[in-house]
Amino acid sequence: MKKKIKIAVFMMFCIFAFTGCTNSSDKSKKVESVEDITGAKIGVQLGTTGDIYASDYEGDDAGTTVERYNKMADAVQALKQKKIDCVIIDEQPALSVTKDNDDLKILDEEFTNEDYAICIAKGNDDLKEKINSALKELKDDGTIDEIISNYIGNNAGKNPYHTPAGTTYDNGTLVAATNATFPPYEYYEDEKVTGIDIDIITAIADKLGMKVEISDMEFDAIINSVNSGKADVGIAGLTVTEDRLKSIDFSDPYTNSKQVIIVKSGDSSSKFDVVSKFKNNFIKDNRWKYIVKGLKNTIIIAVCSAVLGVLLGFMVAFIRATHDKRNCLGILNWICKLYLTVVRGTPTMIQLLIMYYVVFKAVNVDKVLVAIIAFAINSGAYVAEIMRSGIMSIDNGQFEAGSSLGLGYRITMISIILPQAIKNVLPALCNEFITLLKETSICGYIGLTDLTRGGDIIRSNTFDAFMPLILVAAIYLVIVQLLTMGVAKMERRLRKNER
């Protein structure tokens, strides 16, 4: 089995190496100006103003198409592989991208110009007024300019923002939602979210006498998070648009930015250097820690959800099997069937979002606990049907044998039926746990760092998809193979007991 794991990992590495180092053979259009994007394949980050502006070109007679990605790094990687013709993003993140990618360049002609502001829930006029007042003070005393110059220009890194001496935090905590894939405005450094926006919201909170809590999540979840009360404000290079104003309010602008177009500058002639890429992705700035932290959360969520899911599934299976065999527990059986119908008929990601933004809307619950509950409820539905099928597969003669020995229904079920049923459905239960383990990869939608998001954080810093994705996939593969080996060993022991 160990040999099989090595072979599987090696084959996966070879496949990804081949596909990762091969550019798309599709015909591409050369984009040299804003006018040239008509008829081109445009890459944007989902929910950004680049997405909004590019949508005006979509569906025209020239055949312009817009490819929407959850992360800017994914759009950049698609451009490098010639899957798209250009990427529309903000100027400063574009500078960060092209600095480390010689095969990409920014067009001299800007696409558009816009202001950034902080989003605040509609009706929260008191907080909006306080933030605007703090912003005015920070602009007037030059703090905003100093923060921006610390990340952009010749003085970058020379004058970091520090909380003024004597600042007190008597007014609670200001929760700020962001998307830390947008350097230099927000990004990860030394395992912490930093950047222009983070320093600005920290300076505002200092003025308000509040501590800052940064909640990193997908960009398209920020406004929803603020509206639902999970965050007080959203700050992530957000531009005020008419569509956004329909659902969210904004502070006064705090800086101005250009939307620019990134294109290929030519074919990169550099060789695929595994050692240098490994160092850049995992050794530099201790980026391997994102993988370790994500793996820890993934294992905690998967194991706890599996245990709770099995308990819930056994209870539901017991009720449904009892109803089928004894025609009782009608109301409980109806509730169980409704639970199974709803959970098995809706996507896991939707259930996770509902659990976080709806069920726990007004409660500040740890995200790991939210994920455990959501996945346990989801897994319990599948375990219930697996166990029910195992129970129903046991011959009725076993129940009759238990009755002849003077055992009640409950004792017969626990002592005679369930052990046999579990043995019959053990492979199916293992498959359910494997599925559960892989489904935890959607935890990033509620701002939780799991194994997959750990890799995403690295990709957002390095704009290199190959190494992080390969490592994450390899870790999942090894865990799954170890689980499979463990279940196979357990099955062999159970078969020996039958002899």
Side-chain angles (χ1 to χ4, degrees), residues 28 41-42 78 110 145 171 173 178 184 197 220 241 243 246 296 300 302 304 342 352 376 407 442 450 472 475 477 496:
S28 59
K41 290 182 179 179
I42 307 170
E110 69 180 53
D145 291 336
N171 298 319
T173 301
T178 191
D197 286 347
D220 55 343
T241 66
D243 288 336
K246 293 176 183 177
K296 177 184 175 183
I300 290 174
C304 293
V342 172
L352 177 63
L407 302 178
I442 63 174
D450 67 305
V472 170
I475 292 173
L477 179 60
K496 287 180 181 179

Side-chain angles (χ1 to χ4, degrees), residues 239-472:
T239 306
V240 182
T241 66
E242 291 183 6
D243 288 336
R244 287 175 177 170
L245 283 171
K246 293 176 183 177
S247 60
I248 200 78
D249 207 350
F250 284 90
S251 70
D252 294 335
Y254 59 86
T255 190
N256 180 271
S257 179
K258 300 175 183 176
Q259 285 276 322
V260 298
I261 300 174
I262 300 179
V263 297
K264 289 278 289 183
S265 62
D267 293 327
S268 176
S269 59
S270 60
K271 296 182 179 179
F272 185 78
D273 189 342
V274 175
V275 175
S276 63
K277 283 185 175 290
F278 183 86
K279 288 181 179 179
N280 186 48
N281 280 281
F282 306 118
I283 305 302
K284 184 179 179 182
D285 296 330
N286 292 321
R287 288 172 178 154
W288 58 271
K289 291 184 178 180
Y290 299 123
I291 298 293
V292 173
K293 179 181 178 181
L295 177 60
K296 177 184 175 183
N297 285 337
T298 292
I299 292 175
I300 290 174
I301 293 169
V303 172
C304 293
S305 298
V307 173
L308 294 176
V310 166
L311 293 175
L312 178 59
F314 271 41
M315 182 176 67
V316 173
F318 183 87
I319 292 171
R320 295 211 62 212
T322 300
H323 175 269
D324 292 342
K325 288 184 174 295
R326 305 183 68 184
N327 196 27
C328 60
L329 304 179
I331 296 177
L332 288 177
N333 181 66
W334 181 85
I335 293 173
C336 290
K337 288 179 70 174
L338 178 63
Y339 157 68
L340 295 173
T341 300
V342 172
V343 173
R344 297 174 72 200
T346 55
T348 309
M349 187 179 75
I350 300 299
Q351 296 168 21
L352 177 63
L353 293 176
I354 290 174
M355 187 64 65
Y356 183 67
Y357 289 115
V358 180
V359 177
F360 290 106
K361 176 180 179 179
V363 183
N364 187 18
V365 180
D366 187 88
K367 293 176 182 177
V368 173
L369 180 58
V370 173
I372 289 173
I373 294 173
F375 287 116
I377 291 174
N378 178 270
S379 181
Y382 294 93
V383 171
E385 288 300 276
I386 291 171
M387 280 307 306
R388 189 175 74 90
S389 65
I391 293 170
M392 299 304 290
S393 68
I394 304 301
D395 189 87
N396 281 329
Q398 299 288 325
F399 285 97
E400 295 171 359
S403 297
S404 65
L405 292 174
L407 302 178
Y409 177 83
R410 185 174 63 85
I411 300 298
T412 301
M413 179 68 78
I414 295 173
S415 302
I416 299 176
I417 305 302
L418 282 182
Q420 298 179 70
I422 291 173
K423 184 177 65 176
N424 291 342
V425 301
L426 192 58
L429 287 175
C430 176
N431 288 334
E432 168 55 27
F433 182 68
I434 290 172
T435 301
L436 174 64
L437 176 71
K438 292 184 288 186
E439 282 181 342
T440 59
S441 61
I442 63 174
C443 286
Y445 281 91
I446 62 170
L448 181 61
T449 301
D450 67 305
L451 178 57
T452 300
R453 187 163 179 80
D456 288 342
I457 292 172
I458 295 174
R459 287 197 297 132
S460 299
N461 281 276
T462 64
F463 299 100
D464 180 12
F466 180 76
M467 282 285 184
L469 290 178
I470 284 293
L471 180 60
V472 170

Side-chain angles (χ1 to χ4, degrees), residues 7-17 469-470 473-475 477:
I7 293 173
V9 172
F10 176 75
M11 290 179 64
M12 184 183 67
F13 184 87
C14 292
I15 292 171
F16 275 93
L469 290 178
I470 284 293
I475 292 173
L477 179 60

Side-chain angles (χ1 to χ4, degrees), residues 3 26 48 76 88 118 132 150 161 191 196 217 272 279 286 308 373 381 383 398 468:
K3 185 176 180 181
D26 294 340
T48 61
V76 171
I88 299 177
I118 301 167
N132 284 337
N150 183 57
Y161 174 78
E191 300 183 75
I196 294 172
M217 60 187 64
F272 185 78
K279 288 181 179 179
N286 292 321
L308 294 176
I373 294 173
V383 171
Q398 299 288 325

Side-chain angles (χ1 to χ4, degrees), residues 151-170:
Y151 293 91
I152 300 172
N154 297 327
N155 295 322
K158 296 181 180 179
N159 189 27
Y161 174 78
H162 295 290
T163 297
T167 300
T168 58
Y169 304 108
D170 301 326

